[in-house]
Amino acid sequence: MKSNYIKEILKEYEQIRKKNEQALALRRKEVYEKIPRLKIIDAELASVGAGIARIALSGNSDSASALERLRAHVDSIRREKAFLLTEDNFPLSYMELQYDCEVCRDTGFDSSGARCNCFKQKLISKAYRMSNIEDALKTENFETFNLDLFSDKPYAEEKLTPRQNISQNLSICESFTLNFGNPREKNLILYGQPGLGKTFLCNCIAKALIDKGHIVVYQTSFRILEILEKHKFSREKDLAVEMAYELLFDADLLIIDDLGTEMTNAFTNSELFNILNSRLLSSKKTVISTNLSPLDISQVYSHRISSRINAYYTPLEFFGRDLRLVSQSKKHR
Ligand SMILES: [Zn+2]
């Protein structure tokens, strides 16, 4: 199972590299058409580069001064190239290969030959079937969060307007990602009715930390329970399940989405406690999103769970009108 994933992932890297090379070829073509001189410069750079390598290898006594001359020549045509590009408003990086991951240059392995974090994250995404979330992460992140969607009118008995409240929640989530390495930074619990931006903010957090190279597991509590059950009760060990199980404890960040939608019983209570508590003990961060209020949690889950959440989680309340309904009614107007 796992080796299949690895094969698939290596194939993905190949496609990413191909995609970026094709994009570079297109950019090159565009630039050469606009600035024909650059094509000559690039050809020259390539041939001078080969010349430098030849001379350096030959090791002749007079090669030092020849090398110096060639290098000076390279410098001068590189400067001309940079000048021509910027004069036509192309960024200098326009003619360079771009990487999705700068660390491993889309090979999956860093300079020491170890698996890059982006490789580990891809593996996790497969084990957790998180690819749906990967798509959401492209569009839902701190840069695209839109405060204007939230009403700036008073709401029910609340002291803050929904917009003031969400903007406060947003900045707490942002500082959570900025202080992620600090063991004293509390975990987060986002609670409130559906359609108020909880999942969006979870995606923002996940995206910011994945981009920094952290290992993030994002899963609904329903699916987490499925993994726990399979781990505990399957007679045959499934590698993917075992890996998913271990990551509940080992991931730098675990996001438990929709806590409270799973079946709660003695088994789920003790397993959930085990995960939350182990993560607290090893200073690994957890973010929970739920429709349950803190009071509901104390009634649905064991005292051990709710007291841990009360002590070690910053509660972020979400209130206001369901955004999905608001945007629908706007569409119909
Ligand atoms: Zn990488």
Side-chain angles (χ1 to χ4, degrees), residues 13 101-109 116-119:
Y13 280 120
C101 176
E102 291 286 343
V103 178
C104 65
R105 302 189 152 199
D106 304 329
T107 60
F109 298 92
C116 185
N117 274 352
C118 72
F119 194 125

Side-chain angles (χ1 to χ4, degrees), residues 45-102:
L45 279 174
S47 87
V48 175
I52 288 179
R54 228 182 2 257
I55 295 175
L57 284 173
S58 74
N60 284 343
S61 54
D62 57 337
S63 60
S65 65
L67 272 179
E68 209 165 295
R69 250 181 297 123
L70 281 180
R71 289 209 175 105
H73 182 51
V74 166
D75 280 347
S76 101
I77 50 180
R78 272 209 188 120
R79 269 197 300 276
E80 188 191 350
K81 178 176 175 177
F83 174 78
L84 290 172
L85 276 172
T86 45
E87 199 187 35
D88 242 304
N89 289 323
F90 289 110
L92 287 178
S93 60
Y94 205 71
M95 300 278 276
E96 282 159 22
L97 193 56
Q98 305 296 316
Y99 301 101
D100 285 14
C101 176
E102 291 286 343

Side-chain angles (χ1 to χ4, degrees), residues 19-29 93-98:
K19 171 198 83 181
N20 287 335
E21 274 157 22
Q22 284 168 346
L24 174 63
L26 281 178
R27 291 198 301 274
R28 216 177 246 154
K29 191 160 171 268
S93 60
Y94 205 71
M95 300 278 276
E96 282 159 22
L97 193 56
Q98 305 296 316

Side-chain angles (χ1 to χ4, degrees), residues 302-325:
S302 67
H303 175 69
R304 296 196 300 171
I305 291 179
S306 63
S307 70
R308 290 297 186 287
I309 292 178
N310 283 336
Y312 299 106
Y313 284 67
T314 303
L316 304 185
E317 190 186 2
F318 288 67
F319 57 78
R321 281 189 64 197
D322 188 326
L323 292 176
R324 295 166 300 185
L325 301 178

Side-chain angles (χ1 to χ4, degrees), residues 207-254:
K207 163 87 173 138
L209 292 173
I210 288 173
D211 284 352
K212 283 200 212 167
H214 294 291
I215 302 294
V216 176
V217 168
Y218 189 146
Q219 208 44 258
T220 61
S221 65
F222 184 83
R223 174 114 172 86
I224 288 176
L225 257 300
E226 232 176 56
I227 291 162
L228 294 172
E229 277 166 4
K230 276 190 193 152
H231 165 75
K232 187 115 182 173
F233 301 117
S234 296
R235 250 179 279 146
E236 265 174 55
K237 291 289 170 225
D238 176 337
L239 268 178
V241 170
E242 293 314 299
M243 188 175 94
Y245 176 79
E246 277 164 29
L247 279 165
L248 295 174
F249 299 89
D250 294 343
D252 299 322
L253 174 67
L254 172 66

